Amino acid sequence: MRLQVERRRIALIGLGMAVTPHARSLIDLQERVEVAYAFSPTAARREAFAAQFPFPLCDDLDTIVTDRSVEAVIVLTPANTHLDIVQLCAEGGKHILLEKPVEITTQRATRLVEICEQNSVTLGIVLQHRFRPAGLRLAELLREDGLGEIVSCSTTIDLWRPQSYYDEPGRGSFARDGGGVLISQGIHTLDLMQSLVGPVAEVRGYAMTSPVHQMETEDVVMAALRYESGALGTVNATTAAYPGFLERIRIVCRHGTATLEGASLEVAFHDGRKENVRPTATAGGTGADPMAFPHDWHRSLIENFLDALDQGCPPQVTGREALKVHRLIDALIEAGHSGGTVPVS
């Protein structure tokens, strides 16, 4: 049983597209947290946010950094701003829950993680797919060895984003986002995949920008993987699959096969047993509206972050943990351009 503690004062930094599931979660968790500030430098975003949520607004980041009563921040700004904002907050003694990706390059992401470690602040990364009940159940089955040795894992991320999505300045660019379908969308499923199956040792594949989109970075990636365990696998990721489909992870094991599709799980054992986990709400975000999904997983992730602060332990998805999926994405992109086999560093 969790001990009752005083509410923690936190601040939201960034009131753009990613803020809604976080704000809804914080309303649900108001017995544990008090939102001291909701910051954006843009008046229009502050006004739009205020029309939906009852949190105090702020137009000056220094106000948050210098307020000693604020223990933690949730950073929801574009990826290329993360390093500078996190450094300010970490040096101000704030614990940090950071929207994915960690940063636009693995080098910058690693520096960000090191800054948090040097300042002894807790860093958690928003990779909420790990908190879906179906994924948690599959992780439990794999830990218990109920499915036996993993033979292969095939991951499909068939999403749809219209051209209007990429017409926003900087979207789909290396300078703002750090890449395309892998680091902006696929990172969630790739992180979940590795958390279930283990690290990838090497990759070989292709990456390109399809005729469907005008953008700087990749919107189609197909690759073969070899895991450190010896299992084989594939990754197929795109934002050109109209009208958008649920992402799927299929894991073939010695004693059965498990399929995660969106927030659902189906397990078929060789002895005829079956197990299913069905979501209470549709796992959206696959189509033109990338935020069309419930906020349950964000709430669970924020609860885990708060538990980590209460108990003085790491959250489930630390900065160091998130660097693993960044390194996998680097290898997939390098392999896509070189045509060779690339080890995952």
Side-chain angles (χ1 to χ4, degrees):
M1 179 181 295
R2 184 179 62 82
L3 296 176
Q4 291 296 318
V5 295
E6 291 186 7
R7 291 198 302 166
R8 293 186 179 273
R9 279 171 61 82
I10 70 166
L12 283 167
I13 298 177
L15 305 179
M17 184 175 67
V19 76
T20 297
H22 292 276
R24 289 176 176 168
S25 298
L26 292 169
I27 290 173
D28 291 349
L29 297 170
Q30 57 188 312
E31 291 187 356
R32 297 190 65 180
V33 294
E34 175 189 357
V35 179
Y37 304 101
F39 164 79
S40 173
T42 307
R45 285 198 169 167
R46 292 195 301 272
E47 292 170 6
F49 180 81
Q52 296 186 70
F53 301 106
F55 301 138
L57 299 175
C58 176
D59 63 359
D60 184 1
L61 187 57
D62 286 340
T63 300
I64 295 171
V65 174
T66 58
D67 187 339
R68 293 187 178 182
S69 74
V70 174
E71 299 176 75
V73 296
I74 302 178
V75 179
L76 307 173
T77 57
N80 63 345
T81 67
H82 286 179
L83 180 56
D84 291 341
I85 291 174
V86 165
Q87 182 163 4
L88 279 173
C89 294
E91 291 175 351
K94 315 300 184 191
H95 302 293
I96 298 154
L97 183 57
L98 179 66
E99 182 62 70
K100 62 78 189 169
V102 179
E103 247 285 356
I104 59 171
T105 68
T106 301
Q107 181 180 16
R108 287 174 63 87
T110 302
R111 177 62 185 140
L112 184 153
V113 172
E114 291 171 347
I115 286 169
C116 291
E117 292 172 345
Q118 290 162 5
N119 286 277
S120 300
V121 298
T122 298
L123 173 64
I125 308 300
V126 180
L127 288 164
Q128 72 273 5
H129 282 25
R130 291 202 192 195
F131 293 87
R132 291 174 169 176
L136 292 171
R137 176 55 184 151
L138 178 53
E140 184 179 33
L141 280 171
L142 292 170
R143 282 196 305 271
E144 294 171 349
D145 201 31
L147 282 161
E149 178 185 358
I150 296 172
V151 175
S152 70
C153 176
S154 302
T155 298
T156 301
I157 308 164
D158 280 340
L159 310 179
W160 168 248
R161 297 292 182 268
Q163 181 59 41
S164 58
Y165 176 84
Y166 294 109
D167 287 341
E168 179 179 316
R171 181 164 283 159
S173 70
F174 290 110
R176 195 194 84 159
D177 291 348
V181 62
L182 294 181
I183 200 167
S184 292
Q185 289 86 26
I187 187 170
H188 287 292
T189 309
L190 295 175
D191 169 71
L192 177 59
M193 176 192 81
Q194 283 200 126
S195 76
L196 294 168
V197 183
V200 175
E202 62 183 21
V203 304
R204 184 166 188 164
Y206 301 92
M208 71 173 190
T209 307
S210 76
V212 176
H213 295 129
Q214 293 181 356
M215 56 187 290
E216 180 184 3
T217 57
E218 84 291 343
D219 68 347
V220 178
V221 176
M222 295 189 179
L225 319 177
R226 182 176 65 80
Y227 293 88
E228 288 185 1
S229 67
L232 301 180
T234 60
V235 165
N236 174 7
T238 184
T239 53
Y242 180 83
F245 304 88
L246 296 176
E247 71 276 9
R248 185 179 70 240
I249 300 174
R250 178 165 289 145
I251 304 175
V252 176
C253 303
R254 180 183 291 271
H255 302 311
T257 299
T259 302
L260 275 174
E261 190 166 29
S264 297
L265 171 66
E266 292 186 2
V267 184
F269 294 91
H270 290 186
D271 62 9
R273 289 178 296 127
K274 295 184 182 295
E275 182 170 336
N276 297 292
V277 176
R278 300 296 183 200
T280 55
T282 301
T286 60
D289 181 1
M291 303 306 294
F293 54 78
H295 67 281
D296 308 44
W297 318 312
H298 284 79
R299 183 178 60 236
S300 296
L301 181 143
I302 294 172
E303 283 186 292
N304 175 260
F305 181 72
L306 294 172
D307 289 343
L309 298 185
D310 291 349
Q311 299 163 17
C313 63
Q316 183 168 334
V317 189
T318 64
R320 287 283 171 191
E321 182 70 11
L323 290 178
K324 296 177 183 178
V325 72
H326 277 263
R327 295 187 183 109
L328 172 59
I329 290 170
D330 287 347
L332 288 167
I333 293 299
E334 182 180 344
H337 292 315
S338 71
T341 300
V342 176
V344 179
S345 63

